[in-house]
Amino acid sequence: SGGLWVADLTSGQRRRLLPDLLMQHYSISADGQRVVFVAVDDTGRTPVWLASLDGRTAPRQLSTIDSSQAFFGAPGEVVFGSQDNAAPFVYRIGEDGRALRHMIETPMLMPLAVSPDGRWVVAQTPNQFGDTIVYPAGGGAPIRVCGNCGQPQGLEPMPAALSWTPDGRFVYLKFADSTYAIPLQPGEMLPPTPASGLSSKDAVAGLPGARLVSEHSVYPGPTPSIYAFTKVATQRNIYRVPVP
């Protein structure tokens, strides 16, 4: 967990947002004006909060349930995954803190992304690590987008196996380390896939209009031409230590 910072890419200036709160996970709204996040308090509890990024309104706690991830869902809703062993479900709640309810009845899911219309949740289960599966809100059979196509989500931050542009025009799909952008038909949030799921990079690349964004693991942006990535630099030294 840590603080949330904003940086100006032109000037290099940066500042910390919400300095009184430590975040375990966060998501930015499609309009870039709000953030929903899981905060860690002094007692180790991890509730869900909502805040504006301009600082004009104070952060608001939405739920007392210990949570792991939080996302914006349908307009006016927040989606989060509980890490409470007594109620390990994916929930949705209004941005006013009301109408808390299960979003998916399947327990023990780790949500990784939510579609812009709030109808689909990308999630991993303990017995299907590596598969990319989406679950419909309110019940129904899940859809296996691809099998054995990604790494299990661990504690380290990593791009979601499947995510969307804020306007819902493209879906991003990772297969191994490669990231593809697939255009969506109006009113649709998922690409066409066989019942068994996509089985290879060639199958993903063969989808109508699919394009390769990067052959490396990246964080996709608002359009397929923009993405962020992690660059790690290592510095080593040779030391001389006297031996008695």
Side-chain angles (χ1 to χ4, degrees):
S1 59
L4 179 65
W5 290 73
V6 60
D8 186 301
L9 298 181
T10 302
S11 66
Q13 294 181 342
R14 61 176 185 154
R15 61 185 176 91
R16 182 174 172 180
L17 304 175
L18 307 171
D20 295 330
L21 294 164
L22 291 176
M23 300 182 185
Q24 179 175 289
H25 181 272
Y26 73 93
S27 300
I28 304 294
S29 62
D31 60 10
Q33 301 300 311
R34 295 165 297 148
V35 57
V36 62
F37 58 96
V38 176
V40 184
D41 63 24
D42 294 338
T43 65
R45 301 297 302 274
T46 54
V48 174
W49 291 68
L50 178 68
S52 63
L53 292 176
D54 59 14
R56 294 181 180 178
T57 58
R60 293 185 291 110
Q61 184 175 325
L62 296 184
S63 172
T64 59
I65 298 175
D66 286 333
S67 307
S68 52
Q69 302 90 5
F71 307 89
F72 287 96
E77 283 190 348
V78 165
V79 177
F80 64 92
S82 166
Q83 58 181 6
D84 185 345
N85 291 330
F89 293 97
V90 177
Y91 290 88
R92 56 182 169 184
I93 190 171
E95 292 186 13
D96 57 3
R98 300 179 181 177
L100 174 69
R101 58 203 184 279
H102 289 177
M103 185 173 187
I104 303 170
E105 294 299 329
T106 303
M108 303 299 294
L109 292 180
M110 177 188 290
L112 304 177
V114 179
S115 63
D117 61 2
R119 291 166 47 198
W120 299 96
V121 177
V122 184
Q124 281 190 349
T125 66
N127 59 352
Q128 289 178 305
F129 282 146
D131 291 356
T132 298
I133 301 175
V134 292
Y135 291 78
I143 295 177
R144 190 171 184 250
V145 178
C146 61
N148 197 27
C149 50
Q151 298 178 355
Q153 178 71 44
L155 298 178
E156 293 296 324
M158 61 185 298
L162 187 140
S163 60
W164 290 263
T165 56
D167 59 12
R169 295 180 58 192
F170 289 87
V171 62
Y172 296 113
L173 176 60
K174 283 183 59 181
F175 202 107
D177 284 334
S178 298
T179 302
Y180 296 85
I182 304 161
L184 295 171
Q185 297 297 319
E188 298 294 329
M189 285 287 112
L190 297 175
T193 57
S196 59
L198 299 164
S199 59
S200 66
K201 290 183 181 181
D202 289 341
V204 179
L207 292 174
R211 68 181 81 169
L212 178 66
V213 174
S214 174
E215 293 182 351
H216 305 285
S217 183
V218 299
Y219 293 88
T223 68
S225 61
I226 300 174
Y227 59 84
F229 59 92
T230 301
K231 184 176 181 180
V232 179
T234 302
Q235 179 177 337
R236 295 183 174 91
N237 292 296
I238 297 176
Y239 292 92
R240 182 170 59 186
V241 179
V243 178

